Amino acid sequence: MKRLTLFALAITLIATVFAAKTPYQAVLQHSRIRGRTHGPNVCAMQKIQGTDKKYFTNCKQWYHRKICGKPTVVSYECCPGYEKVIGEKGCPAALPLVNIYKTLGVVGATTTKMYSERAKLQEEIEGPGSFTFFAPSNEAWAALPTEILDALVSNVNIELLNALHYHMINKRLTSDDLKHGALFPSMYQDFDVHIHHYSNGIVTVNCARLVKTDQHATNGIVHVVDRVITAITNNVNSLIDTDDDLDTLRTAVAAAGLTNLLENEGFYTIFAPTNEAFEKIPPETLTRILGDPVALKDLLNYHILKNLHCSESIVAGTPLETLQGTVLEVGCDGEEMTINGKAIVTQRDKLGTNGVIHYVNELLIPDSAKTLLELVEGSVVTTASKLFKDAGLTDHLIGSEAVTLLAPLNDAFKDKSLAMTPDLKKLLRNHILKEKFSSKSLYHGQELETLGGLKLRVFVFRNSLCIENACIAAHDKNGRYANMFIVDQILAPPMGTVMDVLKADDRFSTLVGAIQRAGLTELLNKKGTYTFFAPTNAAFSAMPPADLNKLMSNVSCLANLLRYHIGEEFLVSGAVTSHTRMKPLTGDKLELGTRNSTVYVNRVPVVETDLMATNGVVHAVDETYVHSTLSQLAAQTKHSSSILLPEQDAGSLFCVTEGSGV
């Protein structure tokens, strides 16, 4: 029964939200549904703790119980247009339909009512007509600086009357009529008021939020707003031109050729860096950007959003697209507006005819305006950054070369010697590719040349894109001239064939002898894409001597066992997922997985991964792997003596000997 009730509630929520005409109506209907257990026409409201700010609730806010990162408390109030009746549940009665002047008192906008009387507006809003009045709340009037309020109520009340007339439109407009981007001529010299109706249900007029909407009157309608609004006459470029605190920005806008853009029609949001913000940037960086038209234009466009967003429209972190093409995470933390998680907005909602300006005290520098060195220093690859500089590669990181840097994560250097040696310098030089690449343009089998002259191979896997053993671990960092790929490993360029790799490592001397005895040397030297889970000397030593001797003396058994350790395809550790299967040269399958950054094959840990070869890759397995392999093979047969185990597909044979522990 409880499940049916929840299902019915979900269906009701979906149906009512989809039936709503506007985002505001959708949020209002959701609030009605949440409040209906308290009676008819009751809406659930969320109030930010410690403030007077209340919001109708949407589904996400309802479950998170947070707005602008701050906890909220839920209250239940009469929905717009309704009131309580003593002795009855909920809000069953419609508010009395009276003229606008009286409605101001009914909705609690008593200060606006008082000033309407003082400005000789009372007669007009009591009389015939069809008006829309955006009435500032009592708190909005109280928030005005004393000098501004004094100026309004002086001068024989003309300024006050003009201010109130700017809050009025000479026709009735419900919240449904307040479309995003709409302009309506006010009753003060026909100066437009600017409406924005956001997808989260927030509605603003000149960036003032509507806190009580659709309060109908006999001669119009009242919407209560959270601030006193002023006439908008200048475009955003004029606002920048006349503000001494934006001198550097004004110069930069002109140099980048963006003046016309900011003068033309539009709905822009500008995060305007103050003079102080520019002064915080190292002089050499600022000089470089100001002297580079391309970087400067990218820098400024990164401060401009494609759409107009008043601060009141932001109730949670939201990725918003800039004119530069990337996004800024615009959010809020209580009363603070944030950009990319930082509270750097010092002044909000300076509205122009074609956009809104928010002042910021830090310069936002996009990757596309940065040198390679700035990309490295501003990311999570701090160890690599230091090593590249120590290796004398700084000139390649600060110049205008079209290169791509492969920068390993800090964890890739764990337990590695960081002493700068000739070999390390050479290796780091091979982390710089000669061209500027995008990861989206790389393809399987492609070869990339490094500054050190090596040719590195590209491998495309289902969930990974790798250059040799190093798999790309983050989105590209696209700089002014060069790009950076953050990778999960230090590059290990191939050092010969699989057989060459094994011969060069003393840990595999027993395996090398076994390969030669089994006649597999030619296979591991020829062209191919093999993955060899190579048993170390310790793996062979873990076998009982008698079993090892029997294995080594039976060439067929030995060859089949070794072929079971060789996968038919190429696979580096970064491409192994939680459930990966590989077909061995002999046998059914190898089961691979990862746990706590360790790769496992048939549940056996790999002790060292990604020994790269020209025809494959070697992964070293510890002393348990040979024994484990034999155990698994024996488990597939009912015999306990020396046996030949038929292969399921190709007729190859495994050999499992007595005494092997199976």
Side-chain angles (χ1 to χ4, degrees):
M1 191 59 157
K2 184 176 179 182
R3 287 183 179 178
L4 286 174
T5 303
L6 289 172
F7 180 73
L9 176 60
I11 294 298
T12 303
L13 276 168
I14 294 169
T16 54
V17 168
F18 275 98
K21 296 179 181 178
T22 65
Y24 168 77
Q25 288 294 338
V27 173
L28 178 62
Q29 289 189 21
H30 181 268
S31 291
R32 278 180 173 274
I33 291 170
R34 295 299 179 186
R36 67 183 181 178
T37 56
H38 293 262
N41 304 313
V42 174
C43 284
M45 303 286 290
Q46 284 186 265
K47 178 181 177 182
I48 300 176
Q49 292 184 18
T51 74
D52 293 322
K53 299 184 76 168
K54 294 180 182 179
Y55 296 81
F56 292 115
T57 180
N58 61 33
C59 195
K60 185 176 181 180
Q61 291 167 351
W62 176 261
Y63 286 109
H64 287 184
R65 290 294 201 273
K66 283 187 176 182
I67 294 175
C68 282
K70 301 300 180 184
T72 61
V73 291
V74 176
S75 62
Y76 296 92
E77 304 179 9
C78 292
C79 296
Y82 295 91
E83 64 179 354
K84 292 181 177 295
V85 174
I86 295 176
E88 295 191 33
K89 187 177 181 181
C91 304
L95 286 171
L97 197 64
V98 293
N99 60 52
I100 285 179
Y101 179 74
K102 291 182 179 178
T103 300
L104 292 174
V106 171
V107 298
T110 54
T111 304
T112 299
K113 183 179 181 183
M114 177 189 70
Y115 285 138
S116 297
E117 181 181 357
R118 183 178 298 184
K120 310 301 182 189
L121 183 64
Q122 178 179 347
E123 183 178 350
E124 185 177 355
I125 59 178
E126 282 182 329
S130 182
F131 309 113
T132 297
F133 201 150
F134 295 105
S137 65
N138 294 347
E139 294 79 12
W141 287 106
L144 274 183
T146 304
E147 62 274 13
I148 294 178
L149 187 57
D150 288 346
L152 287 175
V153 300
S154 63
N155 196 20
V156 200
N157 298 326
I158 294 299
E159 293 298 331
L160 182 59
L161 178 62
N162 291 341
L164 291 172
H165 267 150
Y166 185 65
H167 288 75
M168 296 177 63
I169 296 168
N170 198 13
K171 64 178 176 179
R172 184 192 305 263
L173 297 170
T174 67
S175 60
D176 285 349
D177 299 316
L178 302 179
K179 306 299 185 184
H180 191 67
L183 302 175
F184 296 103
S186 74
M187 293 177 63
Y188 172 57
Q189 298 183 12
D190 285 338
F191 284 129
D192 287 333
V193 295
H194 298 246
I195 304 297
H196 290 92
H197 194 143
Y198 297 96
S199 59
N200 59 7
I202 299 292
V203 183
T204 64
V205 52
N206 286 23
C207 287
R209 181 169 66 95
L210 275 62
V211 293
K212 290 183 181 179
T213 60
D214 298 327
Q215 308 293 333
H216 290 271
T218 56
N219 58 346
I221 193 167
V222 174
H223 305 291
V224 180
V225 296
D226 68 352
R227 70 181 74 167
V228 179
I229 64 175
T230 55
I232 307 302
T233 58
N234 294 315
N235 59 49
V236 290
N237 191 68
S238 296
L239 296 177
I240 293 171
D241 271 349
T242 55
D243 194 328
D244 291 341
D245 202 27
L246 302 177
D247 284 344
T248 308
L249 176 61
R250 179 168 59 252
T251 302
V253 166
L258 294 178
T259 301
N260 287 341
L261 173 76
L262 301 184
E263 288 177 339
N264 294 337
E265 290 185 2
F267 295 98
Y268 302 117
T269 300
I270 301 173
F271 295 106
T274 61
N275 298 337
E276 175 194 358
F278 282 98
E279 290 166 2
K280 291 179 179 179
I281 300 301
E284 62 277 10
T285 300
L286 185 58
T287 300
R288 177 184 63 78
I289 293 176
L290 293 177
D292 181 346
V294 174
L296 180 59
K297 191 170 184 178
D298 271 0
L299 172 79
L300 295 177
N301 280 337
Y302 189 56
H303 289 75
I304 305 174
L305 302 181
K306 286 187 172 181
N307 298 296
L308 192 151
H309 289 273
C310 298
S311 62
E312 286 293 340
S313 71
I314 305 297
V315 294
T318 307
L320 300 175
E321 189 174 359
T322 68
L323 292 186
Q324 182 260 349
T326 55
V327 298
L328 292 174
E329 180 80 13
V330 182
C332 51
D333 183 10
E335 293 294 323
E336 299 286 345
M337 191 175 183
T338 62
I339 303 175
N340 293 341
K342 300 177 71 176
I344 61 175
V345 178
T346 58
Q347 184 180 337
R348 299 178 290 184
D349 299 331
K350 192 166 184 178
L351 193 62
T353 55
N354 59 345
V356 64
I357 297 175
H358 307 297
Y359 289 55
V360 294
N361 61 10
E362 286 189 17
L363 200 62
L364 307 169
I365 304 180
D367 288 346
S368 60
K370 293 179 179 179
T371 65
L372 198 47
L373 181 61
E374 289 164 351
L375 287 179
V376 175
E377 291 179 335
S379 64
V380 295
V381 290
T382 53
T383 303
S385 172
K386 180 180 183 304
L387 288 174
F388 284 124
K389 287 186 284 188
D390 291 347
L393 297 172
T394 303
D395 286 347
H396 296 290
L397 306 184
I398 63 174
S400 57
E401 288 180 274
V403 296
T404 303
L405 180 71
L406 307 180
L409 290 164
N410 290 346
D411 283 351
F413 295 96
K414 193 180 295 182
D415 302 325
K416 300 282 196 306
S417 172
L418 301 183
M420 189 53 61
T421 63
D423 284 345
L424 181 55
K425 284 185 179 182
K426 182 179 178 181
L427 179 61
L428 291 171
R429 190 173 176 82
N430 284 320
H431 281 71
I432 303 177
L433 307 177
K434 280 188 174 181
E435 297 180 43
K436 183 178 181 179
F437 291 101
S438 163
S439 63
K440 293 181 179 179
S441 68
L442 300 182
Y443 56 89
H444 192 75
Q446 185 178 6
E447 289 191 338
L448 312 174
E449 188 174 357
T450 73
L451 291 184
L454 284 183
K455 295 286 184 70
L456 303 178
R457 300 163 297 177
V458 175
F459 300 102
V460 179
F461 301 99
R462 182 177 297 276
N463 297 307
S464 301
L465 176 61
C466 307
I467 300 171
E468 295 298 340
N469 61 304
C471 298
I472 296 175
H475 294 298
D476 299 6
K477 293 282 190 179
N478 301 313
R480 172 66 179 93
Y481 299 106
N483 290 349
M484 178 173 72
F485 298 160
I486 296 177
V487 295
D488 64 347
Q489 304 259 15
I490 301 170
L491 272 175
M495 304 302 292
T497 66
V498 169
M499 198 63 192
D500 292 332
V501 170
L502 296 174
K503 285 181 176 179
D505 194 325
D506 291 340
R507 293 175 299 171
F508 300 117
S509 58
T510 304
L511 175 61
V512 168
I515 291 170
Q516 293 169 337
R517 183 183 295 270
L520 298 179
T521 302
E522 183 180 352
L523 173 72
L524 297 179
N525 272 325
K526 74 178 184 180
K527 187 176 181 179
T529 53
Y530 305 116
T531 299
F532 198 162
F533 296 96
T536 62
N537 294 343
F540 286 101
S541 298
M543 295 181 66
D547 290 347
L548 180 59
N549 289 334
K550 288 180 181 178
L551 179 64
M552 291 296 186
S553 63
N554 190 323
V555 173
S556 176
C557 290
L558 179 61
N560 282 329
L561 184 65
L562 293 178
R563 290 169 65 87
Y564 184 63
H565 286 70
I566 304 172
E568 290 183 343
E569 58 189 285
F570 180 92
L571 192 68
V572 295
S573 62
V576 177
T577 62
S578 56
H579 295 91
T580 302
R581 288 186 175 182
M582 176 177 284
K583 181 78 171 67
L585 295 182
T586 296
D588 181 22
K589 62 181 179 294
L590 296 172
E591 297 277 0
L592 286 83
T594 60
R595 188 168 67 250
N596 298 327
S597 301
T598 299
V599 174
Y600 288 80
V601 53
N602 290 359
R603 299 184 180 180
V604 174
V606 175
V607 295
E608 186 175 350
T609 61
D610 302 327
L611 303 173
M612 304 299 290
T614 55
N615 61 342
V617 59
V618 174
H619 305 296
V621 291
D622 68 8
E623 61 271 14
T624 65
Y625 186 74
V626 171
H627 185 262
S628 173
T629 301
L630 293 172
S631 298
Q632 290 178 47
L633 293 172
Q636 299 178 48
T637 179
K638 298 178 182 178
H639 302 287
S640 58
S641 58
S642 296
I643 60 166
L644 296 175
L645 181 67
E647 170 64 3
Q648 295 178 6
D649 51 5
S652 299
L653 298 177
F654 286 113
C655 180
V656 183
T657 61
E658 285 185 355
S660 63
V662 298

